Amino acid sequence: MVIIVGVTGGIAAYKAVHLVRLFIADGHEVHVIPTEEALRFVGRPTWEAISRNPVTTSVHDDVPRVRHVALGQRADLVVVAPATANTMAAMAAGLADDLLGTTLLATTAPVLVAPAMHTEMWNHPATRANVETLRSRGVRLVGPDSGPLTGGDSGPGRMSEPEEIHRAALELLRSAQDLAGLTVAVSAGGTREPIDPVRYLGNRSSGRQGVALAAAAADRGARVLLAAANIEADVLRAAQRPGVEVSTAGSAAELATLMRGAAEEADIVIMAAAVADYRVAELSQEKMTKESGPAPVLTLVENEDILAGLAADRRPGQTIVGFAAETATGEELLARGRRKRKRKGADLLAINEVGWTKGFETADNRLVVIGADGQVVAEASGSKREVAEVLLGAIAELHHGAGAGDAG
Ligand code: CTP
């Protein structure tokens, strides 16, 4: 594998020397890209000697080989260790004023960042916001650890030990393409059931979790068919990348049609959309007005259960994943999730605790994933992208194992 190690200007740069050695010992091709600041801590000859490759910081070196993008394009993994507060701000802003910056913009490989800075800098709202931005784009963080810092102070900010970064990097490489060659159908958003030409019954789902799943699945190598039910354009934009095909649905019936079509091609189906259980029995073709009479009574009829239908019709080897939005907590939350998984026949069910202030329209989420015999196979909390990665890890494991397609 081709691993790029970006080194930025912190005292922990000396520890990155050992990290490079660990990658070399594994047999990887390693290219070190230090920033100018990093070279004040550890010099170029050291990096060249241990990586066995030429080292440059500037986009103006080796121009004929277009090195400023070539390295990023060839990389299987980019690790930035140590990552200073300044570098993380530059990454969040997409700055490209040196070779590391251009490489990070040019790469589609997974990126692992090992922050190192003083506790105050780590806790600063600017750094918190940058970390949030990077995480939501799929950048992984390892550390920082808590402990003594260079100034004699102590707290979170120490770069993780090289062995820990090495372990996280190998894990990321392993999961990086675990959906390669597979087609994943994802529904996201919330359906709207029309009442009349201007009104509908809807729900609070923003589609963020489903969009994060689609983006993460594509980044793990899958072709993704994303059925988007009423998702704002700026939310949907997060899934824009090669490998994601978006189609849009309004009502549950439209979503059902899209998902049935997608499921014919899909190896994995994830129903993350919030689907209305009921629709209005009789649509009013005219806008209802107060002149139409007294307060109307809406008669509702049940919508088809898309997930249950897809699970019942699944092809051998196809993996079907559902979500459950529940307002219960603790054991009752799990019990409801277990009953729902069984009732719908999904292989995995991701249970999501929701409420007036939980689950919707927020950046973060918490999921518990239930498997075929009701056991908890994964738990995740964090940004919707981080949660998506954990769920996809569980899905990939099940799909590649023997368990797919035989949920009871
Ligand atoms: N779902 C579906 N079709 C429906 C309703 C739900 O495919 N008509 C799917 C959702 O996409 C989700 C799962 O079923 O993956 C559970 O959705 P949820 O709203 O939690 O469950 P309901 O079936 O609506 O059950 P209840 O309202 O009783 O909790």
Side-chain angles (χ1 to χ4, degrees):
M1 297 279 181
V2 177
I3 300 180
I4 291 177
V5 179
V7 183
T8 74
I11 194 85
Y14 79 91
K15 288 201 208 170
V17 174
H18 185 47
L19 177 65
V20 173
R21 293 180 66 162
L22 291 172
F23 288 138
I24 291 287
D26 291 339
H28 298 297
E29 176 184 335
V30 182
H31 296 269
V32 178
I33 307 182
T35 59
E36 278 297 325
E37 283 298 307
L39 291 180
R40 291 165 174 261
F41 293 91
V42 179
R44 193 187 310 254
T46 304
W47 298 121
E48 293 194 330
I50 55 160
S51 71
R52 302 168 192 167
N53 273 310
V55 167
T56 168
T57 61
S58 163
V59 293
H60 303 299
D61 295 330
D62 206 3
V63 173
R65 284 200 290 160
V66 217
R67 195 169 162 85
H68 70 288
V69 291
L71 276 178
Q73 288 167 339
R74 281 192 56 219
D76 295 298
L77 175 71
V78 181
V79 182
V80 184
T84 58
N86 186 58
T87 296
M88 293 177 70
M91 287 174 75
L95 297 188
D97 56 356
D98 59 7
L99 186 60
L100 182 58
T102 55
T103 302
L104 283 162
L105 280 188
T107 195
T108 54
V111 177
L112 179 69
V113 165
M117 65 195 74
H118 284 280
T119 304
E120 293 81 355
M121 296 170 83
W122 175 249
N123 288 336
H124 192 282
T127 307
R128 309 290 351 123
N130 292 330
V131 166
E132 188 60 46
T133 301
L134 293 175
R135 280 195 170 131
S136 69
R137 287 187 197 143
V139 170
R140 305 289 183 90
L141 266 74
V142 49
D145 292 347
S146 242
L149 301 166
T150 342
D153 47 345
S154 189
R158 261 173 82 91
M159 188 177 86
S160 295
E161 291 306 317
E163 288 77 10
E164 177 64 15
I165 302 171
H166 177 246
R167 193 198 52 72
L170 294 193
E171 171 59 28
L172 192 51
L173 267 179
R174 196 185 58 74
S175 69
Q177 290 295 305
D178 59 1
L179 298 177
L182 298 177
T183 298
V184 178
V186 182
S187 72
T191 67
R192 290 180 183 172
E193 309 305 314
I195 299 171
D196 69 15
V198 297
R199 302 183 179 92
Y200 59 83
L201 295 173
N203 61 67
R204 289 176 55 204
S205 176
S206 65
R208 282 193 177 81
Q209 185 61 70
V211 165
L213 275 162
D219 290 347
R220 293 167 92 124
R223 168 183 174 230
V224 177
L225 308 174
L226 173 61
N230 307 297
I231 301 180
E232 300 273 351
D234 63 334
V235 173
L236 203 49
R237 204 168 298 130
Q240 242 176 34
R241 65 200 67 215
V244 179
E245 298 160 40
V246 181
S247 51
T248 56
S251 65
E254 287 169 14
L255 187 66
T257 306
L258 281 186
M259 287 309 286
R260 266 199 299 271
E264 281 175 22
E265 300 179 55
D267 303 285
I268 295 167
V269 178
I270 308 174
M271 279 296 298
V275 185
D277 292 326
Y278 303 98
R279 67 179 179 280
V280 176
E282 268 182 67
L283 259 186
S284 169
Q285 294 306 323
E286 298 281 317
K287 182 187 166 204
M288 291 190 201
T289 68
K290 287 195 209 95
E291 288 174 11
S292 323
V297 175
L298 296 177
T299 305
L300 303 179
V301 291
E302 204 164 332
N303 280 329
E304 76 170 274
D305 191 315
I306 307 172
L307 174 62
L310 294 174
D313 295 343
R314 71 150 79 66
R315 295 192 311 277
Q318 195 176 39
T319 300
I320 309 282
V321 182
F323 266 72
E326 305 289 351
T327 51
T329 54
E331 269 308 307
E332 177 56 19
L333 181 79
L334 282 182
R336 282 199 202 173
R338 289 189 176 113
R339 288 199 296 275
K340 193 169 280 186
R341 191 208 63 76
K342 214 170 166 63
R343 194 168 72 237
K344 305 217 176 204
D347 297 298
L348 292 177
L349 191 92
I351 312 173
N352 203 354
E353 195 183 317
V354 295
W356 295 111
T357 56
K358 277 185 279 194
F360 298 113
E361 296 134 16
T362 57
D364 280 12
N365 204 5
R366 231 181 73 75
L367 285 186
V368 180
V369 187
I370 300 283
D373 13 323
Q375 82 284 22
V376 173
V377 296
E379 278 184 82
S381 64
S383 73
K384 288 186 173 171
R385 172 68 190 225
E386 287 173 304
V387 165
E389 298 287 359
V390 173
L391 176 56
L392 288 174
I395 294 171
E397 203 173 306
L398 176 70
H399 189 81
H400 294 303
D406 59 1

